[in-house]
Every structure is written in C-alpha cells, then in structure tokens.
Amino acid sequence: MSQFRIKFMPENRVIEADQGTSLLNAAAKAGIMIKSGCGGKGTCGACKVDVLSGDPLVNGTGNLTPEQLAKGIRLACKTLVQGDMTIEVPPESRLQEHQVLMGDVQKGLLQESEHDLLDKFGRHSLAIKQRISLSIPTLTENSSDWARLSIELRRVLKTGDKPIHMPLSILKHLPESLRKANWDVSITMTDTEAGLTITHIEQGNDVPPYGLAIDIGTTTVVVYLINLLTGEIVDQQGTYNKQAKYGDDVITRIVYAVENEQNLIEIRDAVVETVNGLLDKILARQSLSNMNIASAMVAGNTTMTQLFLGVDPRYIRLEPYIPTMTNVPSFPAREIGLHMLPEAMVHCYPSVASYVGGDIVAGTLVTDLANGEDIILFIDIGTNGEIVLGNQDWLVACACSAGPSFEGGGITFGMRAMPGAIERIIIDPETLDVSLKVINNQTPVGICGSGLVDCIAKLLSAGIIDRAGNFQLGHKSGSQRLRATTDDKEFVLAWAYQAGGEKDVVITENDVKNVIRAKGAIYAGIRSLLNMVAVDIEMISRIVIAGGFGNYLNIHDSVQIGLLPDLEPERFEFIGNASVKGARLALLSQNAWREAEELGRKMTYVELSVGVTYMDEYMAALFLPHTDMSLFPSFQ
Ligand code: FES
C-alpha cells in the first residue's frame, strides 16, 4: 500500500500515512487529537481542518457551506489520504490537554477530609515491598530457594497462615535472582485478603513501591502516581481519552466496538495506550521504571471499564441494559499490557449498573456517604447525571441523560472549559450591556458549561427570557443584542470584533431550551430519588458535586435556574475528580477497597425510564426554575 507524507500545522509535524487513511486517524497518529462528536460519521462537523496543500479524496462534506469548501475546509473524518498533504488543525477542532480535570489537588496536597478518611479506614495498601537478607545455603542448611525465601518473608512480615504465592514466571528465575543479588533481595508483592503474591524480586534496595490511581473517563483519563509507603501523590498527568476518535459519548463507542472483533480490540487498545502514555511521561519525570509500579486501581463508568478490559459492551445499550459484570476480578497487568510490573495486579472499581459505574462508587466512598445518619446527595454532572442518595442505612442511585449541553455539545457556541470560554457574565438589566469573564482572559470564542448556567440565570434576571426560556424580543431596553434571525432568536454575548472572528458569539433560544432540558433531567432525577425514599429536600444535610463541570459551578445561579435544589449554600460542597480520589483511597487501604466492593452491592439502582414519576418530574422541571415555585422559595 502506498504511503504519503502528511504535515500538520502549526506544529510542522510530519507523519507517514497509508493511502485511504482518514485525516482524523492520521492526526491521531501525529499526536494531535481532533474532536469527533459523531465518531467519524460526518454528521457533527466538529472535526473541521484546513487543507493547505494536496488533493485528498473527499467522502463527505456534512454541513460544510460552499464558502468553507471553497476555502479548503474539510471534515477530517471524511477526507482520505491519497497523496502528500499539508493540513492545519484549527484550535476549535482540537481536544486540548489543559481541559482535563486533575482533581483539586496540587502535587502532594490533599484535602483534610481525604487524610481523615485514610486514617479512618486504616492504611494497608494493596501492594508492599520488603527487603530481606537470606542465609546462604550450605550442605547442612540445604532447604530449597523457595522455602528459604518464604520462611524468611513469613518471619519478617509476621504473616501467620496467610498464603504466599509465586507465579511461574517469577519462580523460573528465582535461583538466578537470589544468587545475583547475593541473597540480599527486595520482594514486591500484591497484598490482598486472599494472600500475598510475589510480583518482583530484585537486588536489595530501599526504593518504595508505587501504585497508580487511574480515572478512566469517557472524555479524559487521569493518572496519579502514589507512593504506597507514604500515600503521597508523587505526580499526576491527565489527557484526553484516545477513544475520542470513535465518538464523544459511550453509546457511539459501544456501537463502534461491537461492529466486529477488531473494533473492540482497537478501542480497548486506544484507552490502554492513553494510560500508558500518561504513565510513561510520569515515569520519565520521576526517573522511575515500570518495574517500580506494584499496583493499579481503576475507576471508570461501566462502559469505560468494559472497554478497558476488552469486554463486549453491547448489552449495556440494549434494553434491559445489562452490564457483563458489576464486580471485576483483579488481573495481572501483563494481560492488558499496562506499563508496570507484568505480574502486578490491576483492580477495577465495581459498578452498580450499566449507567452507574465504578467512578460513582468511588465518589460515594470519598464522600463517606454511607457512614453516618445524615442524608447526603452525591451528584456527578456530565453528559449523564449520576445521582446517589442515602446514608449508613440505605443507598439509592440513578442516572439521567442530561445530554451534552453542559460539556458544550448542542450549543451554538458551546465549548469545554478551556481558554477562550466565557465562564461568567454580567448583564445590565436596563441597557443589556454585557461584561464577560473569559478563561485565561482570552478573547471570547464560546461558552462553557458553568458559563451557560450563569448566562441563563442572568438572561432570566434581566427579563431577556421568560421562565419557559422564550426570548422577549420586545425588551424595554431596545438593545440590538437581542434579535431575531431567520430560524431562531438570539442574544449577542460578544460582538465579532470582540471575539476576533467573523461571527458574533451568541446564545440562541434553542440553546436555552437545550440547557433547560439538561437541567430538567438532573433535577427530575434528584426529585425521583427523593420521592422514592420519601425524603424531603430539607432533610438532605450535604450535597456533594463531582465532575469537571461541578467544580466551577455557581451555586446561586444553579439554584436560580433549577439545576440544584434550593438549599443554603453551606450545604453544597465540590469534590472535584472524585473518581481518581476514590481510586487512590482504595489503593492505599484494603479496608477502603472492601468498603467500595460493599458499596457497589449495597446500592439500589433505580431505572428511571420504567417509572412514571420521572417523566412527570421532568416535565415539571422544564421551567426556570420549576413549575412548582414552592420548591424554590428563594426565587419566588
Ligand atoms: Fe467528523 Fe463528526 S463530522 S467526526
């Protein structure tokens, strides 16, 4: 097959690509991640690139306008290599690293509550390392190498009857390992209730064992490197999930994965490659090797967990939505090719159901939701809103489909929280003049999830929209910012000259309706759970919000638009990336890990689509803040 040189600008990066490769895949090969909302079907228009030179085969142009086509703009997913080319990938088509939510920790810094939780559960990590000196065998002291080693380990570790296992791959090299080290060896082991399993034998040293806490999100992947002796987060790195090229959401990826066996392998490899890429960067920075990594704990939603393991996910999306497993057996890293000790164990958080996964169980653990009488509500807001409600006696969970609005999808100028995104808005109710706060103080190019919530609250306060989200074109100000277009109504947030582009940055009536549907879905999920267990909103003592969007949410605005319940601001708490925090906790504490497994079993999953209550609640929530204003006394 012919190969061609593809140059990507402005990086000036050149790769070789086979004839027929899509520019989307060629860019991924060059390490440039292009947005691909529809998974390469040519329908979302997210993957626009500029063909600067070359004559590719164009298989589809989607909704590109004749002007865009004349300028050389193409869809990367529908444009195929058939000669040398130069491509420019514009910023708006790129997934960018700095959008990844690392958690709210800085290096080595943890919230007080996390230390408390670790103290509460007790530190006993899932892998240990022990240095021992063995006596040299003689004609009279002639026990086998394995007996010599295991007896000394038992003595030093005081293991009692706990079994010690040695995989064949380690046993094969035992004689050489001991003698080369002159009987002074460091032994790395997996430590679980079932026993100790030796994963590495090396020359005696005092380098601590390290573990990985891994959050596999649909959009992003985050890895923490943890010192298993001290519990310290030594380093961390996050990036986009390389599966993004197969689609933005779990459903599109499932559809791709189940098309044939090769696709499933490909999509599994994409996420393993993502984790390995992050790990390699961390190891290089810390001057460590993969042989120092003794354990890994993974938290992800149910689909991400199954895809990470290469387990067929098709029944997750088909009624009655059955996952292959909720509890995942731990397995050696070599089975999926993670860059760590080949025999070191990889553990995955249990799921509850197809749409309440290990990331939510991890969040529930970190929230310490199941350990007191107080009723706590945990919400993870993303494309899916996952909600857990309960206390030490009972736990209920549900998932509601909020759609992609809060992550920038389906909104005319929607974008993720990255430089150039509008995150705060002030609107003068008399003149409708606008002041904006833009991430990194850049020129505004779009609006992120928290900006949208803020914007809709301000549109409502200024009388630009009514409680149903309808634009009020006859606003008393007579401002030109409020206007009708041929197919919609819109409000100008930034004029084209301010945005440095050709178009005004606007929010349309359709955008507002999309956000109302998204917030309505989440609020209806909360209300449905409350109704189910006959708990009044006032009885909730804490509302813990997780997820990238939640981290920057303005509580007042969120309540004003009816996304969150009308409670005192003091009851709300942001937890950041709860998934990776939960992974760290379980990695460092066997008790926490047991509790996590127990939580997964204890949670009652409520399938909202089968109850009538949810639809009623949803319809009632399609107003700002709600049809029943008695639920929002602060805004009556
Ligand atoms: Fe190319 Fe959607 S149009 S990925």
Side-chain angles (χ1 to χ4, degrees):
M1 188 180 285
S2 316
Q3 283 218 320
F4 298 102
R5 282 166 55 85
I6 315 296
K7 187 195 283 184
F8 287 93
M9 302 299 284
E11 285 87 351
N12 210 3
R13 195 173 297 159
V14 179
I15 56 130
E16 300 268 321
D18 289 338
Q19 182 166 17
T21 307
S22 74
L23 292 182
L24 194 64
N25 284 335
K29 190 175 173 191
I32 297 167
M33 296 297 286
I34 295 181
K35 290 179 189 170
S36 128
C38 64
K41 293 195 166 43
T43 54
C44 70
C47 62
K48 292 183 194 75
V49 294
D50 205 344
V51 177
L52 301 180
S53 73
D55 187 17
L57 178 65
V58 177
N59 256 355
T61 54
N63 54 7
L64 291 179
T65 62
E67 294 77 42
Q68 287 173 315
L69 290 167
K71 281 183 189 163
I73 295 179
R74 300 286 182 271
L75 298 177
C77 66
K78 290 290 173 195
T79 306
L80 310 183
V81 170
Q82 59 171 11
D84 294 347
M85 297 174 71
T86 303
I87 307 296
E88 175 154 2
V89 184
E92 60 272 19
S93 298
R94 290 170 182 252
L95 291 170
Q96 301 199 16
E97 298 260 332
H98 40 65
Q99 292 169 250
V100 179
L101 181 74
M102 302 298 302
D104 54 1
V105 293
Q106 291 170 350
K107 196 173 156 188
L109 203 69
L110 286 170
Q111 284 179 342
E112 209 49 51
S113 58
E114 289 173 63
H115 286 300
D116 291 350
L117 266 183
L118 198 51
D119 290 344
K120 193 190 98 179
F121 283 118
R123 193 172 295 178
H124 188 160
S125 69
L126 287 165
I128 55 171
K129 187 171 168 183
Q130 180 65 50
R131 184 170 185 171
I132 50 172
S133 274
L134 301 173
S135 58
I136 298 173
T138 63
L139 282 174
T140 51
E141 213 275 86
N142 56 4
S143 54
S144 72
D145 289 346
W146 173 222
R148 187 174 303 276
L149 177 72
S150 56
I151 288 166
E152 183 59 10
L153 264 183
R154 276 191 192 293
R155 190 188 69 76
V156 175
L157 293 172
K158 300 186 180 64
T159 56
D161 291 339
K162 197 167 178 173
I164 302 179
H165 310 280
M166 184 180 286
L168 186 56
S169 62
I170 309 273
L171 188 61
K172 278 184 195 169
H173 303 288
L174 181 62
E176 200 187 342
S177 306
L178 296 179
R179 286 163 183 82
K180 264 194 182 162
N182 201 22
W183 306 93
D184 168 21
V185 283
S186 286
I187 316 283
T188 307
M189 289 157 277
T190 296
D191 186 1
T192 63
E193 261 179 328
L196 292 160
T197 302
I198 294 175
T199 54
H200 191 43
I201 300 176
E202 61 190 312
Q203 175 75 56
N205 66 70
D206 296 314
V207 178
Y210 291 90
L212 304 174
I214 304 172
D215 162 43
I216 300 184
T218 310
T219 311
T220 56
V221 177
V222 172
V223 174
Y224 282 3
L225 178 73
I226 313 286
N227 179 325
L228 294 179
L229 276 186
T230 63
E232 179 200 2
I233 299 170
V234 179
D235 206 341
Q236 51 181 294
Q237 184 86 33
T239 190
Y240 274 90
N241 188 335
K242 285 191 177 178
Q243 289 178 343
K245 67 179 173 184
Y246 305 106
D248 270 357
D249 57 84
V250 294
I251 300 299
T252 320
R253 290 195 206 161
I254 292 173
V255 170
Y256 180 83
V258 302
E259 259 171 30
N260 58 56
E261 254 175 57
Q262 190 47 40
N263 281 15
L264 181 56
I265 294 170
E266 213 180 282
I267 205 162
R268 180 206 61 190
D269 288 352
V271 69
V272 171
E273 226 179 85
T274 310
V275 175
N276 279 338
L278 294 173
L279 181 51
D280 291 347
K281 280 187 191 166
I282 290 176
L283 291 176
R285 262 202 309 263
Q286 299 299 327
S287 304
L288 291 170
S289 100
N290 54 334
M291 303 307 264
N292 296 110
I293 311 298
S295 186
M297 177 66 68
V298 177
N301 65 47
T302 310
T303 304
M304 285 305 108
T305 304
Q306 289 204 196
L307 291 180
F308 176 64
L309 303 173
V311 174
D312 186 336
R314 79 186 64 219
Y315 299 103
I316 288 178
R317 69 176 273 270
L318 302 175
E319 206 178 318
Y321 317 116
I322 304 298
T324 305
M325 69 282 172
T326 47
N327 276 67
V328 183
S330 302
F331 54 91
R334 63 176 156 72
E335 286 197 21
I336 56 164
L338 279 190
H339 292 176
M340 48 195 282
L341 284 172
E343 296 293 345
M345 295 305 269
V346 179
H347 313 273
C348 294
Y349 253 82
S351 305
V352 178
S354 279
Y355 296 101
V356 174
D359 51 345
I360 302 306
V361 178
T364 308
L365 184 77
V366 174
T367 308
D368 205 18
L369 197 149
N371 281 305
E373 289 179 2
D374 288 349
I375 297 174
I376 298 171
L377 181 71
F378 171 77
I379 317 175
D380 192 328
I381 303 175
T383 306
N384 259 346
E386 289 113 335
I387 305 165
V388 182
L389 177 73
N391 64 8
Q392 61 191 13
D393 300 319
W394 51 272
L395 285 173
V396 286
C398 71
C400 39
S401 177
S405 306
F406 291 136
E407 294 183 336
I411 302 294
T412 313
F413 281 85
M415 63 188 287
R416 293 181 188 278
M418 57 188 286
I422 298 168
E423 56 174 350
R424 291 277 176 270
I425 296 160
I426 297 172
I427 301 175
D428 184 315
E430 299 302 322
T431 61
L432 300 195
D433 286 345
V434 172
S435 309
L436 302 175
K437 182 170 183 309
V438 181
I439 297 180
N440 278 18
N441 293 323
Q442 294 193 357
T443 48
V445 292
I447 184 162
C448 64
S450 53
L452 273 172
V453 171
D454 194 39
C455 179
I456 289 170
K458 301 297 165 31
L459 292 175
L460 186 64
S461 297
I464 298 166
I465 55 173
D466 64 13
R467 287 183 47 220
N470 298 315
F471 274 56
Q472 306 298 297
L473 289 181
H475 190 274
K476 60 184 178 189
S477 65
S479 168
Q480 294 194 345
R481 286 180 181 268
L482 186 55
R483 65 196 184 192
T485 60
T486 41
D487 46 12
D488 208 346
K489 295 166 192 158
E490 61 188 28
F491 181 75
V492 178
L493 300 172
W495 299 105
Y497 73 88
Q498 296 169 315
E502 292 168 11
K503 286 185 181 168
D504 300 330
V505 176
V506 300
I507 182 158
T508 69
E509 190 171 88
N510 193 38
D511 297 338
V512 172
K513 300 278 170 115
N514 278 340
V515 176
I516 290 177
R517 280 190 281 271
K519 75 92 191 170
I522 289 170
Y523 190 77
I526 296 172
R527 289 275 299 165
S528 298
L529 278 192
L530 290 170
N531 293 342
M532 192 191 149
V533 289
V535 166
D536 190 73
I537 279 177
E538 271 300 326
M539 291 163 73
I540 300 172
S541 53
R542 270 200 302 149
I543 297 185
V544 183
I545 301 164
F549 168 70
N551 228 22
Y552 309 101
L553 205 56
N554 179 302
I555 295 296
H556 178 274
D557 296 339
S558 308
V559 176
Q560 190 186 354
I561 72 162
L563 168 63
L564 296 175
D566 192 358
L567 291 172
E568 304 87 335
E570 306 79 67
R571 294 202 216 180
F572 291 90
E573 198 179 295
F574 293 114
I575 196 173
N577 187 334
S579 180
V580 72
K581 289 180 182 181
R584 171 183 169 272
L585 193 57
L587 193 64
L588 290 170
S589 167
Q590 292 190 16
N591 287 339
W593 180 225
R594 268 190 291 276
E595 168 103 0
E597 293 188 303
E598 188 54 33
L599 276 177
R601 277 189 287 272
K602 221 163 125 182
M603 248 183 244
T604 305
Y605 175 66
V606 180
E607 178 56 60
L608 294 176
S609 63
V610 296
V612 281
T613 335
Y614 180 72
M615 261 336 270
D616 291 346
E617 287 293 347
Y618 175 66
M619 296 308 290
L622 294 180
F623 285 85
L624 299 169
H626 200 272
T627 44
D628 181 359
M629 286 302 289
S630 68
L631 293 169
F632 291 85
S634 310
F635 295 95
Q636 268 178 346

